[in-house]
Every structure is written in C-alpha cells, then in structure tokens.
C-alpha cells in the first residue's frame, strides 16, 4: 500500500451504468487536481462542505459532462484529508474518462479500501469501526445492518476501551508493587485484584459468546431442512423462499445435493438448506448426498426435522441420526408436514413421547409431555402443510424467535467479525492465566505479563496495536472506492 502523501481517486458508486456516478478524490492535492479539469467556480476558493455545479473536462481538455463537485476540507472529511466528490452522469464512458482525466492531472487510482484505510490512519475512527464500514455496505437485512451501525458508531470500541482502562489500572497496580518490592508492600489486595480480573474476564467472555449470534445474523441464520425421503423438504424450501428453487416429486430420493438460498424474514436473514432425504440406500450418488446432509446438520443453528404426518412410523428411522449429529447448541423443530391429508396427532404423540427435551417450551406448547426427557433434542413441534401453505406464518415466526435477533436490544454489543472473535478468545486465555496466577499467589510480574498480553489482544481489535500485514489483509477485502 502506498503512503498517504499522494492523492487518490476512484469511482465510489457501484460498478456499471447508473443514473449518477460519484468519483471520490482524496489527498493533499485533491482540490488542485480537480481544479485542473473543473470548469466553473475555482474549487480552491470555495468553502468546505459546499456543492457546485460546473463541467468536467476530459484528458484532452474537452467538456466531458455537466457535474456537481462537493468539497470537504481536511480534517472534516471521511478520510480526514481534503476531499472532492464529483457527481457525473453514470455512463461507463464518462466514468472511465473522468478517472483518466484525474490520473492525468496527478491523482492515482485508489487501492481496495484505501479511502477507509486513510480514515483509520488519520484517526477518524478505529479499526473495528473501519471494518464496520465494509459490514454496513454488505448488510442486506435489517438485523445485520443494525449490528454494523452499532459497531460503526463505536459501541463495541467503547466497550473495549473500558476493558483497556481497567486492565491498565490492574497492570499499574502490580507494577507499582514491583517497584517497591524491597519494601514488601501490597498496593492491591489479591482478593481485589482477582475480583477486578474476574469482571474483565466476564465482559470478554460475554463479547466472545455473542459471536455465534452475531455471525449468524451477519451471514444468515443457517436452517437445515432434514428428514425422511418424500417428507416434503423441498416443497417447504420452495414455500419459504417463495420460489421453485428445488425439484419436488413423489419419487423417494429426489433431492441428491444440498440446495441453499437466503431470504429475509421480518428483518432477519435466513440461509435455508434443503438436503437429500435420509434413508438406507445402495445408490452411490444418493449416499454422497446423504453424507452432505450430515455435514449440514452438524453446522446448522436451527434444524427443521420434516415428518410426514401420513407416515408417523418413519419417525424412528431418522431421529437417531439427527439427534446424534446436531451441534450441541442448535435447536430442533419437529415439523409435521402434510397435515392437509393426515392427522398429526399420532406423529406428535410419538415425538413428544420419545424425542422431546424436558424443556419448558414443549410442555407449554404441547400440554402434557408424556415420557418427555427420554431423549433430549426437539424444542418445538409445529404442524404445517408445505404444499397448501398452512402453518407457514407460525413456522416463520418461530424461526425469527429462535434466531435470537429480536432478543438483542439496541444497547447490546454483539461481535460479528471473526478476527475480533479470535482476538477475544486469545484475550480470554491470557486473563484466565492471570487469574490462575493470582489464585496460586505467583509473583506479581508474571501476572502483570499475562495482563499485558490480554491488553495486547484487545488492542489488536481497535488497531491501537497492529501490523501492516493485518491492515493490508483487512482493507484488501473492501472494494475500490470504499
Ligand atoms: N398433500 C401434501 N403433499 C405434500 C406436501 N408437501 C409435499 N408434498 C408432496 O410430497 C411429495 C414429496 O415432496 P418433496 O418436497 O419432493 O419431498 P422431499 O422431502 O424433498 O423428498 P426427497 O428429496 O426425495 O428427500 C411431493 O409429491 C409433494 O407434492 C403437503 O404439505 N401436503
Ligand atoms: Mg427433496
């Protein structure tokens, strides 16, 4: 990545043809460079945060387009540098020629994420906030947008800064003690130190634990649709996606491969995964499909176990596989399908009797849970007809509830970035070592060392401590113009 001494330019609107395209120019020479191709009031003379109508000229000095130039003087701009945004008509030709003209006048084409990187370098915001810019651009549901906005606003950073201050206080207490070690004074009682460290650990742990929800919301809550062949899994997928995405037929073993797609339900993005039906088979390709079903089962957050109401005796065939392969913290919803042609009572009785957890959800929802608790797993049972669209609204509402997205209040800080999560886990490991050290009454300098390490891991999130490699890696994931 180049230094910040030069002036960069790029089209910041989406690639392709549009009503308007905006070229962003940022750097020390931004205003002078734009003036070279600007026909209108000299931009060097206008006030910051003002917009001006004029013309831009191409490399050869010919009028290219009528345009609006908006000027932001340093440091009150996104990058913290002098910035000009030129809005032109969004033809591919005009966009290309405008960038050529800007480069001929002394700017250089920006690298991916370079505008945001400059904003970070000039202290406009920290690294976690810079990463939120990419998330805001990528967010495609209300829930993921809300999380990105909160991170960009600095809620996460404020939490980290609070932790940083508490850790520094702990380290300084210990170091002060070490300075006076000959005099054998204790500046902080070990009990006090331990309780402060435990508080920090709890906050770090809460943040790390929020990642599972945050990641699911950001990338789409994964919902695997599994069950016996012919139960109606693909019919349900199509129903949920409002699209004929998968082939439906009454031939057992129709779906061979995993089919997935995302859709927004009530502001939450879900990733629905239709899978090959579970049954014993000698067919090699079908067996491969079933092994893919197992993979998806183990990573899904929510499992929709589809049961054919007209064949309740099949419940036992798939139950054991599903129970044994699901992730510990995923939820299973037993979905009794084809309720338009069969009574669900027998299927329900079997599920409640054998496969439900002793969880309150079932008890309340289903009245008595005969024999509940024999095999934990199913938390909800719903009755639907995927084909006739009966019970779908209730199923969707349940999915939204299970996603956890609605339990997040505006003040909750949720981690959505894998890099942040990894740093939090490392921070939690080092604070654990520090707490262990306090418990074992080891020398203060070892404890201080572990606390400093915790500080280090937390600082990599906001970018107070960082390396060029980390920065290059983060910003290369942005697009050019951002
Ligand atoms: N009456 C009725 N038929 C349904 C319903 N849902 C699905 N079907 C029928 O059941 C048959 C199987 O449906 P699919 O959606 O292909 O079943 P699947 O579970 O994906 O089957 P495989 O891909 O073979 O595992 C089709 O003939 C559907 O039309 C329903 O709610 N009611
Ligand atoms: Mg299918």
């Amino acid at each position: 990545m180049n230094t910040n001494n030069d002036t960069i330019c790029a089209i910041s609107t989406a690639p392709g043809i549009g009503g308007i395209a905006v070229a962003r120019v940022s750097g020390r020479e931004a205003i002078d460079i734009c003036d070279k191709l600007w026909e209108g009031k000299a931009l060097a003379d206008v006030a910051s945060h003002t917009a001006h109508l004029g013309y831009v000229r191409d490399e050869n000095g010919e009028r290219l387009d009528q345009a609006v130039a908006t000027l932001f003087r340093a440091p009150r701009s996104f990058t913290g540098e002098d910035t000009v945004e030129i809005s032109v008509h969004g033809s591919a030709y005009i966009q290309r020629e405008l960038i050529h003209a800007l480069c001929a006048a002394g700017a250089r084409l920006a690298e991916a994420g370079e505008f945001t990187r400059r904003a970070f370098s000039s202290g406009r915001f920290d690294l976690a906030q810079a990463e939120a810019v990419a998330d805001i651009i990528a967010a495609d549901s209300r829930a993921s947008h809300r999380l990105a906005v909160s991170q960009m606003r600095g809620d996460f950073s404020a939490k980290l800064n609070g932790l940083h201050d508490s850790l520094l206080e702990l380290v300084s207490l210990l170091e002060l003690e070490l300075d006076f070690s000959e005099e054998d004074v204790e500046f902080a009682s070990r009990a006090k130190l331990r309780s402060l460290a435990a508080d920090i650990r709890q906050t770090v742990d809460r943040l790390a634990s929020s990642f599972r929800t945050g990641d699911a919301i950001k990338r789409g809550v994964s919902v695997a649709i599994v069950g016996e062949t012919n139960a109606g899994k693909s019919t349900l997928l199509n129903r949920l996606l409002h699209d004929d995405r998968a082939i439906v037929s009454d031939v057992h073993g129709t779906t061979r491969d995993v089919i997935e797609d995302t859709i927004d339900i009530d502001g939450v993005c879900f990733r629905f995964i239709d899978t090959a039906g579970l049954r014993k088979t000698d067919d090699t390709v079908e067996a491969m499909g079933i092994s893919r079903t197992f993979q998806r089962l183990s990573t899904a957050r929510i499992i929709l176990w589809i049961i054919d109401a007209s064949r309740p005796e099949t419940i036992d065939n798939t139950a054991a596989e599903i129970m044994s392969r699901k992730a510990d913290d995923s939820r299973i919803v037993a979905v009794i399908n084809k309720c338009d042609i069969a009574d669900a009572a027998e299927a329900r009785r079997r599920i409640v009797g054998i496969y439900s957890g002793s969880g309150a959800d079932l008890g309340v929802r289903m009245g008595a849970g005969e024999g509940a608790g024999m095999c934990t797993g199913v938390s909800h049972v719903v009755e639907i007809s995927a084909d006739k669209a009966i019970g779908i609204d209730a199923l969707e509402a349940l999915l939204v509830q299970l996603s956890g997205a609605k339990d997040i209040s505006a003040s909750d800080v949720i981690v959505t970035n894998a890099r942040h999560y990894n740093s939090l886990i490392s921070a939690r490991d080092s604070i654990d070592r520090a707490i262990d050290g306090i418990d074992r009454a080891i020398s203060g300098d070892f404890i201080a060392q572990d606390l400093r390490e915790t500080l280090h891991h937390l600082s990599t999130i906001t970018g107070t401590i960082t390396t060029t490699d980390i920065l290059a890696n983060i910003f290369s994931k942005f697009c050019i113009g951002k």
Side-chain angles (χ1 to χ4, degrees), residues 228-235 247-255 276-277 337-338 340-341 385-388:
E228 176 96 350
T229 54
N230 221 45
K233 299 180 293 300
S234 303
T235 310
I247 297 173
V248 166
S249 91
D250 58 5
V251 176
H252 285 252
T254 300
T255 306
N337 187 32
K338 307 197 186 179
D340 53 317
I341 53 162
S385 164
D387 191 47
K388 301 287 182 295

Side-chain angles (χ1 to χ4, degrees), residues 169-244:
E169 195 187 317
L170 271 184
V171 174
S172 11
L173 275 175
L174 278 165
E175 284 180 347
L176 198 64
E177 212 174 275
L178 291 171
D179 286 346
F180 289 87
S181 55
E182 317 238 299
E183 288 152 50
D184 201 24
V185 281
E186 204 176 76
F187 283 86
S189 80
R190 287 301 183 255
K192 175 96 194 302
L193 275 185
R194 193 189 192 288
S195 120
L196 286 174
D199 285 351
I200 295 170
R201 193 218 184 260
Q202 195 186 30
T203 310
V204 171
D205 188 54
R206 206 177 298 140
L207 286 171
S209 311
S210 72
F211 177 66
R212 194 158 149 78
T213 304
D215 186 53
I217 291 172
K218 184 168 151 187
R219 295 195 302 155
V221 181
S222 56
V223 182
I225 306 175
V226 300
E228 176 96 350
T229 54
N230 221 45
K233 299 180 293 300
S234 303
T235 310
L236 178 60
L237 175 85
N238 292 347
R239 178 67 61 201
L240 290 165
L241 295 176
H242 310 286
D243 190 14
D244 269 345

